[in-house]
Amino acid sequence: RTRADAAVAALAREADAEGGEPLARAHALKSLVHARIAYRPGATDAATTAAAALAAGAGVCQDHACSSSARAAAPIHTTAAS
């Protein structure tokens, strides 16, 4: 289990600042995570938090779950259609 630290929350706010529809903001967040956490086998393990992977700038596939932590820290709000 991971918790969003200030850096992960800032990442979510940066993606949210892109504006647009919720899906566009989710794609922006995914792109930011991809740009800031390089895939590097052995860089992290199952016990590494998303915050630690972001701080290190490297990780493996599960570290891209950082985007999920970021969404929890700064949720992408949706507006109900009228």
Side-chain angles (χ1 to χ4, degrees), residues 35-81:
R36 298 202 184 149
I37 301 176
Y39 180 77
R40 193 168 303 136
T44 61
D45 59 34
T48 305
T49 65
L54 179 60
V60 293
C61 53
Q62 78 262 13
D63 298 308
H64 283 242
C66 180
S67 62
S68 296
S69 295
R71 286 189 197 105
I76 296 173
H77 300 286
T78 59
T79 304

Side-chain angles (χ1 to χ4, degrees), residues 7-51:
V8 172
L11 188 73
R13 285 190 300 275
E14 186 177 340
D16 199 45
E18 298 285 323
E21 296 296 316
L23 182 59
R25 294 193 310 265
H27 283 291
L29 181 58
K30 178 192 71 69
S31 294
L32 287 168
V33 169
H34 180 75
R36 298 202 184 149
I37 301 176
Y39 180 77
R40 193 168 303 136
T44 61
D45 59 34
T48 305
T49 65

